[in-house]
Amino acid sequence: MWRQVTINNPQILFIKMKKTLIKIGGMHCSSCVTIINRVLSKQEGIINSSVNFSTEKASVEYDPTVISEAKIIEVINSKGYTASLDQGDGAAKEKLMKKKELLKQRNKVLISSIFAFPALILGMFFMKNPIAYQDYIMWFLATPVQFYIGWNFYTGAWAALKNKTSNMDTLVAMGTSAAYFYSVYAVLFHAGHQYFEASAVLITLVVFGKYLESFAKGKTSEAISKLMEIGAKTALVIREGKEVKISIDDVVKGDVIIVKPGEKIPVDGVIIEGNSSIDESMVTGESIPTDKKVGDDVIGSTINKQGSFKFEATKVGAETTLSRIIKLIEDAQTKKAPIQRFADIVSSYFVPAVILISVMTFFFWSLLIGEGVGFAVLASVAVLVIACPCALGLATPTAIMVGTGKGAKNGILIKGGDSLEMAHRLKYVLFDKTGTITKGKPEVTEIITLGNISKGKVLEIAGSIEKNSEHPLAEAIVEEATKKRIIWNKVSKFKALVGMGVEASIGRKQYYFGNVKLMNDKRIDYKEYIEEMTALESQGKTVMILSDSDVAYGIIAVADEIKEDSAFAINLLHKMGIKTYMITGDNKRTASAIAKKAGVQGFFAEVLPEDKANYVKQLQRNGKVAMVGDGINDAPALAQANIGIAMGSGTDVAMETGDIVLMRNSLVDVARAIKLSKITMAKIKQNMFWALAYNALGIPIAAGALYPFTGWLLSPMIAGGAMAMSSVSVITNSLLLKRKKF
């Protein structure tokens, strides 16, 4: 990404910004996210940062001339977290690390349980202390749980305090410490009942909840894990005339690779010998295999179904399509949806508010009501524990992770939570015509001449000129001339005239080939062809005129048929209440015919590429707009739109340009992307409602609101269990997205 930077003198410099992905350990709740984002935002040279609690990763955009990756990592580590550069570890390594972490958490739960549950049994069933030194036994059992298993809560709370904030660890550390140290006081000074079992069981339940949370979070990132696992491990290459099987990591650009039936294609490349049918469903989501021949591109990790072939490696390592898709999904999962900002704001004020409520609860029951210090301690501890903001912090990112993963599995790459959220708010969808609504492979249908010049001569001149052009219409004319075995003329002074056509010289003669705008600009008389042009354009055909500097020689009609699913897809959008428009550089009659076939509600014709963005702006005055294009000449309009949707079956340009990339090149996926946005946002709202409702109900109950009426006070242990399950329930609800059809 390039940014324009103004310095002291009037000169303008263009500095390339870098983006890095950093793994972060030691995050316990959304408050940790706030701390890290806050400290990163204060660093000079950091343009933007986005920390994801669910993935435990941060995406940081920075100026490498001002700050380095090492410095960014150092800054995060200084705040009590463990940061390291995300190296894009392989599936096996990633899986092993997660397995080790889960095992570590499980062992903590087991050790904690060994001490906590005997304490619970003694405290619950032997309340009158029939066992000798029972209070001291309880003290002995609770201490390792409090200071060994619970040590992470103290370090986390201390780190938060150093950053002048508070987090979940603050609540747990304060709550359990209050119960533990009051119990120590009660035992030493015989000041009443002790609550060692409350602090020990509470820590055990919180640790168990974190274990369940980590296990469930792992399920939300299954899309990436599965993509990592499908990559080929070896490749059969030709080195020094011999076939050699090597590791995928040792493949280099230019290697000639042999692929046999049933094998995975190791890396991206171009077929140089043979042909086959290839299953590209892992990239496109399309189950029907694609026929490939010499000159066709192949994608790494797709499956060769039939024939054997050789191909030349063009992209290896991180450059392959699969690696870039994985990177794109990871980046998307670190980008916050705007709705997440609400959760972040609530979380930043939530913990201090809970601490205040806990203190007020203690003084209310102990001083105002006179229920005793022990009673007040239990109530205040229950408030601290039940109010963990984890569920609120997980509400959005877990749903985003599952939603983007589900989209990727179906050939819809969504680059961020902001795009996923925006899609459900769209009012207009604006389609490019060529290659988007239409197939993008136009064919010559008619050649009409009215003078002495033959049709063959018109095709010869037009084909010779257009051989130098890269326009899709030019390709159709060159292909037709090739079929007719036309001998090319030597062309000079070729010039593309944007939005009008081309001009060139053959010998000493100047020729023009293009639309009516070009003829009018060069003052060429074409009126004798108007009737034929009108008839052809009304059929949805594009008509181009060939002329010299004085007279029109003839016209060539080219037809670009609409895709089989275009009309169906556009009708789906209408049923969703979305208005559709088409935009094209073609004349009004041709545009009208195509618009009618496709079923769009309106169209803009004779629009220059650079003016497309202005039409997007016009629609944006009345609502959110998505622009759907091929990712090349539509780039300004894609950038201007609220969401740019790029077609392209995984092309480099499409991946770079669009906010959403449709790998299958099907317009039906526009409607599916919007539907996915709607169901994901519904899940996020459900999660946030549950998280907020849980706290709104749980805190008053924990504070003793029901005690005057029922005589029932919420136990800190039950509060701890409820807190743990609230986070797990939010994650589970997000995982239900996997079952949703869209």
Side-chain angles (χ1 to χ4, degrees):
M1 175 180 228
W2 293 90
R3 287 185 184 267
Q4 182 175 292
V5 181
T6 306
I7 55 177
N8 293 332
N9 59 39
Q11 287 182 307
I12 302 291
L13 297 178
F14 288 89
I15 298 175
K16 189 171 185 181
M17 298 296 152
K18 287 187 71 176
K19 186 179 278 187
T20 188
L21 204 61
I22 295 172
K23 293 190 285 189
I24 303 174
M27 291 196 296
H28 302 290
C29 64
S30 56
S31 298
C32 298
V33 172
T34 305
I35 292 170
I36 298 169
N37 270 326
R38 187 184 298 159
V39 71
L40 289 176
S41 67
K42 292 178 180 177
Q43 300 302 308
E44 190 179 352
I46 292 180
I47 310 302
N48 185 45
S49 67
S50 181
V51 182
N52 190 309
F53 177 44
S54 292
T55 61
E56 296 180 333
K57 291 179 182 180
S59 177
V60 184
E61 186 186 349
Y62 66 99
D63 181 352
T65 63
V66 179
I67 192 169
S68 65
E69 287 178 333
K71 179 63 179 177
I72 296 170
I73 290 169
E74 184 188 324
V75 167
I76 297 172
N77 287 336
S78 70
K79 297 301 175 182
Y81 303 96
T82 55
S84 61
L85 198 61
D86 185 39
Q87 303 285 358
D89 298 325
K93 192 174 179 181
E94 190 87 13
K95 217 171 180 179
L96 185 63
M97 288 173 64
K98 287 182 178 178
K99 193 175 179 179
K100 281 184 177 178
E101 183 58 33
L102 275 174
L103 187 63
K104 187 178 176 182
Q105 288 182 312
R106 191 193 70 179
N107 290 340
K108 277 193 169 185
V109 173
L110 289 173
I111 294 169
S112 192
S113 300
I114 290 170
F115 289 92
F117 283 102
L120 177 65
I121 292 168
L122 288 172
M124 295 286 291
F125 299 102
F126 300 91
M127 296 182 69
K128 295 183 178 180
N129 291 5
I131 302 172
Y133 303 105
Q134 183 173 316
D135 285 346
Y136 291 94
I137 294 171
M138 297 273 285
W139 188 354
F140 169 77
L141 292 170
T143 299
V145 178
Q146 186 71 38
F147 299 107
Y148 174 65
I149 303 299
W151 186 248
N152 283 345
F153 299 118
Y154 287 106
T155 56
W158 176 244
L161 185 62
K162 285 196 297 184
N163 291 295
K164 299 176 182 177
T165 186
S166 50
N167 57 16
M168 171 211 163
D169 291 338
T170 308
L171 299 180
V172 176
M174 286 182 65
T176 57
S177 295
Y180 179 86
F181 287 109
Y182 172 77
S183 299
V184 171
Y185 170 79
V187 171
L188 292 178
F189 296 96
H190 307 287
H193 187 70
Q194 46 79 20
Y195 299 100
F196 285 121
E197 78 278 7
S199 67
V201 173
L202 186 53
I203 288 173
T204 304
L205 287 171
V206 173
V207 173
F208 180 59
K210 296 298 288 182
Y211 170 73
L212 292 178
E213 187 182 299
S214 297
F215 183 80
K217 276 165 61 178
K219 295 288 184 181
T220 65
S221 58
E222 276 185 351
I224 292 178
S225 300
K226 286 180 179 178
L227 282 173
M228 286 178 171
E229 289 172 0
I230 64 174
K233 304 297 185 289
T234 60
L236 186 63
V237 304
I238 299 175
R239 296 267 176 95
E240 298 177 355
K242 297 179 180 178
E243 295 182 8
V244 184
K245 184 171 282 190
I246 62 173
S247 168
I248 193 73
D249 298 328
D250 296 328
V251 177
V252 296
K253 290 181 184 179
D255 271 339
V256 175
I257 302 171
I258 301 169
V259 184
K260 298 175 181 178
E263 292 182 343
K264 288 181 180 177
I265 297 168
V267 295
D268 294 9
V270 179
I271 295 177
I272 58 175
E273 184 182 310
N275 57 75
S276 185
S277 180
I278 296 174
D279 178 2
E280 295 182 336
S281 58
M282 76 90 187
V283 173
T284 66
E286 184 61 63
S287 58
I288 301 172
T290 306
D291 293 331
K292 300 283 185 176
K293 61 184 185 303
V294 173
D296 288 342
D297 293 328
V298 291
I299 302 170
S301 301
T302 57
I303 300 170
N304 181 27
K305 301 294 286 186
Q306 293 179 357
S308 296
F309 63 90
K310 295 178 183 177
F311 77 96
E312 182 182 335
T314 57
K315 294 177 183 176
V316 299
E319 295 178 347
T320 64
T321 298
L322 179 63
S323 296
R324 292 175 68 215
I325 288 173
I326 291 170
K327 182 71 166 58
L328 188 149
I329 298 170
E330 286 184 330
D331 286 347
Q333 293 179 345
T334 60
K335 290 180 182 176
K336 289 183 182 181
I339 196 171
Q340 179 64 25
R341 293 172 196 146
F342 169 74
D344 291 346
I345 292 169
V346 171
S347 295
S348 65
Y349 292 101
F350 187 75
V351 175
V354 169
I355 294 171
L356 180 62
I357 293 170
S358 175
V359 171
M360 291 171 63
T361 300
F362 176 83
F363 285 112
F364 176 81
W365 289 112
S366 62
L367 298 180
L368 294 179
I369 305 300
E371 284 289 344
V373 175
F375 183 97
V377 166
L378 283 180
S380 59
V381 169
V383 169
L384 288 171
V385 173
I386 203 168
C388 172
C390 283
L392 190 62
L394 291 165
T396 299
T398 53
I400 295 292
M401 287 176 72
V402 178
T404 52
K406 189 175 179 68
K409 188 179 178 182
N410 289 274
I412 302 168
L413 300 184
I414 302 168
K415 290 189 178 181
D418 49 352
S419 302
L420 188 60
E421 179 176 341
M422 180 61 71
H424 87 288
R425 298 165 58 194
L426 291 172
K427 188 175 180 180
Y428 302 99
V429 176
L430 181 62
F431 296 94
D432 173 51
K433 179 178 78 72
T434 305
T436 302
I437 288 179
T438 65
K439 294 177 180 178
K441 293 183 178 179
E443 296 178 351
V444 174
T445 58
E446 284 92 8
I447 301 174
I448 298 172
T449 63
L450 298 178
N452 295 324
I453 191 169
S454 68
K455 293 181 181 179
K457 190 66 177 175
V458 168
L459 185 60
E460 177 190 319
I461 297 170
S464 298
I465 295 171
E466 292 286 28
K467 200 170 184 292
N468 297 280
S469 175
E470 297 179 352
H471 196 280
L473 297 179
E475 290 177 14
I477 292 164
V478 171
E479 189 175 337
E480 182 68 15
T482 305
K483 285 180 186 175
K484 298 289 175 63
R485 298 182 179 180
I486 295 293
I487 298 172
W488 308 112
N489 294 311
K490 188 177 180 181
V491 174
S492 62
K493 299 179 182 176
F494 175 86
K495 185 180 180 182
L497 305 169
V498 180
M500 293 192 291
V502 295
E503 66 177 38
S505 295
I506 298 176
R508 294 182 179 179
K509 207 160 191 177
Q510 183 81 357
Y511 292 97
Y512 303 99
F513 186 55
N515 57 24
V516 170
K517 284 184 182 178
L518 178 58
M519 296 300 113
N520 290 334
D521 185 69
K522 302 300 178 182
R523 298 181 181 179
I524 308 295
D525 183 11
Y526 59 91
K527 62 184 179 186
E528 58 185 324
Y529 293 98
I530 288 176
E531 188 177 334
E532 285 82 0
M533 288 169 63
T534 303
L536 292 167
E537 287 169 355
S538 65
Q539 299 170 32
K541 297 175 181 179
T542 301
V543 180
M544 292 166 287
I545 308 166
L546 176 69
S547 78
D548 60 17
S549 301
D550 302 309
V551 64
Y553 285 7
I555 59 176
I556 299 178
V558 174
D560 185 10
E561 294 297 320
I562 71 167
K563 295 174 182 176
E564 289 81 1
D565 61 359
S566 290
F568 175 72
I570 287 164
N571 187 49
L572 284 178
L573 292 173
H574 293 163
K575 288 180 178 178
M576 296 168 74
I578 295 171
K579 296 179 180 178
T580 59
Y581 290 84
M582 182 186 78
I583 191 164
T584 178
D586 245 333
N587 63 80
K588 290 180 180 179
R589 280 189 293 270
T590 301
S592 178
I594 297 294
K596 190 175 180 180
K597 286 182 183 177
V600 293
Q601 294 165 315
F603 66 89
F604 307 108
E606 301 176 10
V607 180
L608 295 175
E610 60 267 27
D611 292 332
K612 287 184 178 180
N614 293 328
Y615 285 89
V616 174
K617 284 182 183 177
Q618 288 181 28
L619 291 175
Q620 284 176 320
R621 293 170 186 167
N622 298 310
K624 305 297 182 184
V625 179
M627 172 70 195
V628 187
D630 61 15
I632 303 172
N633 62 340
D634 300 311
L638 289 166
Q640 175 61 42
N642 299 99
I643 292 181
I645 302 176
M647 313 289 289
S649 299
T651 62
D652 292 350
V653 177
M655 283 196 183
E656 293 296 328
T657 309
D659 300 303
I660 297 175
V661 182
L662 307 181
M663 304 292 285
R664 296 194 297 189
N665 226 23
S666 170
L667 288 189
V668 173
D669 286 343
V670 175
R672 296 182 76 210
I674 295 170
K675 182 74 179 293
L676 179 61
S677 169
K678 289 185 176 184
I679 61 176
T680 304
M681 288 305 301
K683 282 294 175 190
I684 290 173
K685 289 173 181 177
Q686 289 170 14
N687 288 347
M688 294 191 78
F689 173 79
W690 164 245
L692 291 170
Y694 159 80
N695 282 299
L697 291 171
I699 291 174
I701 292 171
L706 297 179
Y707 184 76
F709 311 102
T710 63
W712 183 71
L713 182 68
L714 184 69
S715 164
M717 291 178 284
I718 297 173
M723 179 270 290
M725 294 314 298
S726 69
S727 296
V728 174
S729 64
V730 163
I731 298 171
T732 304
N733 191 46
S734 293
L735 287 169
L736 291 175
L737 264 173
K738 291 182 177 182
R739 299 184 180 182
K740 289 279 186 179
K741 293 182 180 180
F742 70 103

